[in-house]
Amino acid sequence: MLNTDYFNIPKIIIALDFNNKKAAMKLVDLLDPSLFYLKIGKEMFTILGKKFINELHQLGFNIFLDLKFHDIPNTVFNATKAAADLGIWMLSVHAAGGKKMLTYAKKALKSFKKRPLLIAVTALTSLKQEDLKNIGIQISLQDYILILSKLSYDCGLDGVVCPGKEAEKIKLLCGDKYKIITPGIRCFNDSNFDQNQTITPKQAKKFLIDYIVIGRSITSSINPIKKLNFIIQSMQ
Ligand code: C5P
């Protein structure tokens, strides 16, 4: 397996989106925990809970718990603390929860010696301009993403989840160290499924994205390792 560290390319987070443990482990067993991060989202966490996170930790994986908290500040404070107690590497909240919610999420991590990275989702990669209009937001999708990125930065978050094409502008606005995590990665004739803001792994490198999230491109592949090697090669 080719090493992303060696080639200085975006690091790869595999979205473990399965509806049962057996299918998830079939993929996990193929992966080297020193090369790939795992993302546990709403589906797997709802089915398997914290026991599964512990098992993946024991195998040596760093876990991005992508539950995208979006609630009143007190609830997000407590949920963030509970998530950090699991010893995860990264967790997500929705930037649209607002300044107070984001600040509370950050505050919740204060007491942790080794805290997870706190990342805000700006706009889902499944959204189009028309979707914003439908919920009464009149500004452009690009401006919406930049506003939420800057707000999250000002609230002390470590980075944002955003469509790849906005990454360069966010880095200019918030600095190089601000982490950019990008889902919606598609390559080699992958279907877009429900994603509307997609980029290729090669573009991710060009846009200086720190982490790419890859789900169905790998989880639905008949040879995930071969596909991952192609993806890594395409970014060199
Ligand atoms: O299968 P696919 O590669 O489209 O999966 C993308 C993953 O990234 C999913 O687990 C989805 O929940 C997550 N995600 C996203 N857009 C965001 C944040 C997270 O697609 N803005």
Side-chain angles (χ1 to χ4, degrees):
M1 174 56 64
L2 298 167
N3 191 334
T4 50
D5 272 343
Y6 184 77
F7 295 113
N8 194 23
I9 53 183
K11 301 199 181 314
I12 299 177
I13 302 174
I14 308 280
L16 221 49
D17 293 328
F18 292 100
N19 62 12
N20 68 83
K21 187 173 171 184
K22 199 173 163 207
M25 291 312 292
K26 199 174 159 206
L27 175 59
V28 170
D29 286 341
L30 299 173
L31 301 172
D32 178 343
S34 68
L35 300 183
F36 300 104
Y37 300 80
L38 297 179
K39 183 174 92 69
I40 302 295
K42 293 181 170 90
E43 184 182 16
M44 286 249 90
F45 194 72
T46 303
I47 298 169
L48 297 170
K50 72 176 188 181
K51 197 165 163 256
F52 187 49
I53 304 274
N54 287 336
E55 284 175 38
L56 295 173
H57 277 153
Q58 270 161 24
L59 292 173
F61 286 98
N62 284 310
I63 306 294
F64 171 18
L65 186 62
D66 184 28
L67 297 181
K68 301 186 183 71
F69 295 143
H70 189 174
D71 212 312
I72 59 170
N74 183 59
T75 301
V76 168
F77 178 90
N78 290 326
T80 301
K81 231 173 162 192
D85 271 333
L86 300 176
I88 51 170
W89 159 69
M90 184 187 276
L91 79 113
S92 60
V93 296
H94 263 291
K99 189 174 176 181
K100 194 165 177 188
M101 191 207 83
L102 293 169
T103 312
Y104 270 50
K106 180 70 201 284
K107 240 194 254 170
L109 299 177
K110 226 177 165 182
S111 59
F112 289 84
K113 253 198 196 140
K114 195 174 165 247
R115 68 168 182 85
L117 293 171
L118 181 63
I119 301 295
V121 177
T122 53
L124 296 168
T125 35
S126 55
L127 294 180
K128 300 192 284 255
Q129 184 66 49
E130 191 190 334
D131 296 306
L132 281 196
K133 212 171 150 205
N134 289 341
I135 55 170
I137 296 170
Q138 304 296 344
I139 59 176
S140 71
L141 187 57
Q142 284 75 16
D143 284 350
Y144 182 69
I145 291 167
L146 286 180
I147 288 167
L148 290 178
S149 296
K150 182 65 167 51
L151 175 70
S152 305
Y153 176 78
D154 290 342
C155 292
L157 273 72
D158 300 297
V160 282
V161 182
C162 71
K165 285 176 186 139
E166 312 313 322
E168 285 175 305
K169 280 189 217 127
I170 297 170
K171 290 268 185 189
L172 275 178
L173 193 66
C174 304
D176 273 352
K177 289 200 176 118
Y178 200 50
K179 303 270 182 267
I180 304 283
I181 294 95
T182 294
I185 303 298
R186 293 294 183 268
C187 50
F188 317 119
N189 301 324
D190 283 339
S191 158
N192 273 5
F193 298 105
D194 53 351
Q195 298 282 23
N196 278 301
Q197 313 288 332
T198 62
I199 58 165
T200 63
K202 200 173 175 178
Q203 284 175 304
K205 183 189 178 186
K206 182 171 163 258
F207 297 150
L208 303 176
I209 286 160
D210 298 283
Y211 300 94
I212 52 175
V213 176
I214 313 181
R216 285 162 289 188
S217 176
I218 294 300
T219 56
S220 63
S221 165
I222 45 166
N223 191 338
I225 293 299
K226 196 172 167 193
K227 186 90 179 259
L228 277 167
N229 270 323
F230 273 139
I231 289 172
I232 295 168
Q233 257 163 1
S234 76
M235 288 194 282
Q236 285 164 38

